[in-house]
Amino acid sequence: MSSVSLLQRLVRWRPWVSRDDPKQAVKVLVTGAAGQIGYAIVAMIARGQMLGPDQPVVLHMLDLPRAADALNGVRMELIDAALPLLRGVVATSDEAEAFKGVNVAILIGGWPRKEGMKRKDLIVKNVPIYKSQASALQQHAAPNCKVLVVANPANTNALVLKEFAGGIPAKNITCLTRLDHNRALGQVAEKLNVPVGDVKNAIIWGNHSSTQFPDASHATVRTELGERPVKELVADEKWLREEFVSTVQQRGAAVIKARKLSSSLSAASAACDHIRDWVLGTPKGTWVSMGVCSDGSYGIPEGTFFSFPVTCDKGEWSIVQGLQIDDFARSKMEASASELKEEKAVAINIL
């Protein structure tokens, strides 16, 4: 018997659902679930770190047929962990089964960037994958499914989903820049030697690539004297415009160099943060960075998937308006928008 047929026979675990459950279980899909980020995130989801400590979940996990054995191992570990919020596991290589009825989709699976590959090469590999997943999303997911694209090129993959999953509202398709946002908060916290929880309102503008613009000019730090601007506490414009920006932009490469593997734990944690704030809301006075479909705010072309500062309430995100953008920031934002325009042209040519 092949590993695929064995997987399809054995891994549909749907245990009883207690009549005393205060909430109906939410179906959460993770693609690329046998990979490093997938392996890290599924336990976080089942422990309530994404949707809250009292929200039951059913996990749908998708991966390629060649990863069938590894995916079954992840399923077994989830059962062995005896996670109280976990109401079921579906582990499959079939897109239709994986997407069936899901309320939240975390799309991690995609062709990885390998040594010598240009960003254009990555787009060529991933556009067909995301066109196929758009079809599965359109046909099988819940109508109001919330989608987070993690796989790179994340912004352009999200654009492909929007174009080919017309039944899913564009506002329900997002891409991950929260990892970069969290990295920015971490760099400021280290620089000022303060708890990262005291730092807020950094911004990641643009593409999830080396053209992104990490912006601390609107960020603040909680102190004994109240909230104070980061730029006043750092008092080093050169650091804020150069070292801070480049460190956040290149952090993923630095992690790969250090551990010989790409970021997984931090990426999984950021994806949980993204969905949690989207669904449960951002704290008052706080914004986060999300890659969303532009409505023309800050001069970014409408329909471009671009990272903005957003607030979330009742399951909806809104772009923070009225922030002052200086010439330096504007030039960085325009460079990232230009790159996204080029990526879109490549994707359209393929499609």
Side-chain angles (χ1 to χ4, degrees), residues 99-120:
F99 280 84
K100 186 176 181 180
V102 297
N103 309 106
V104 177
I106 315 298
L107 306 184
I108 300 170
W111 190 277
R113 189 170 185 173
K114 299 180 180 179
E115 187 175 357
M117 285 182 69
K118 298 178 181 179
R119 195 167 180 86
K120 179 180 178 180

Side-chain angles (χ1 to χ4, degrees), residues 269-302:
S269 180
C272 284
D273 291 344
H274 177 114
I275 296 293
R276 183 196 64 237
D277 286 343
W278 188 4
V279 172
L280 302 180
T282 48
K284 187 176 181 179
T286 300
W287 63 64
V288 295
S289 301
M290 290 173 58
V292 300
C293 189
S294 175
D295 59 2
S297 293
Y298 297 100
I300 301 305
E302 189 173 349

Side-chain angles (χ1 to χ4, degrees), residues 188-216:
V188 170
E190 279 202 329
K191 178 72 171 178
L192 296 175
N193 193 28
V194 299
V196 72
D198 288 346
V199 185
K200 69 177 186 179
N201 294 353
I203 302 170
I204 303 298
W205 301 99
N207 198 3
H208 178 61
S209 75
S210 60
T211 70
Q212 66 174 256
F213 174 47
D215 180 6

Side-chain angles (χ1 to χ4, degrees), residues 241-292:
R241 290 193 170 193
E242 296 180 13
E243 185 178 339
F244 167 74
V245 171
S246 63
T247 297
V248 176
Q249 287 176 336
Q250 303 298 327
R251 188 66 163 187
V255 170
I256 292 173
K257 183 177 180 180
R259 67 185 298 261
K260 313 308 177 191
L261 294 166
S262 60
S263 304
S264 52
L265 185 150
S266 57
S269 180
C272 284
D273 291 344
H274 177 114
I275 296 293
R276 183 196 64 237
D277 286 343
W278 188 4
V279 172
L280 302 180
T282 48
K284 187 176 181 179
T286 300
W287 63 64
V288 295
S289 301
M290 290 173 58
V292 300

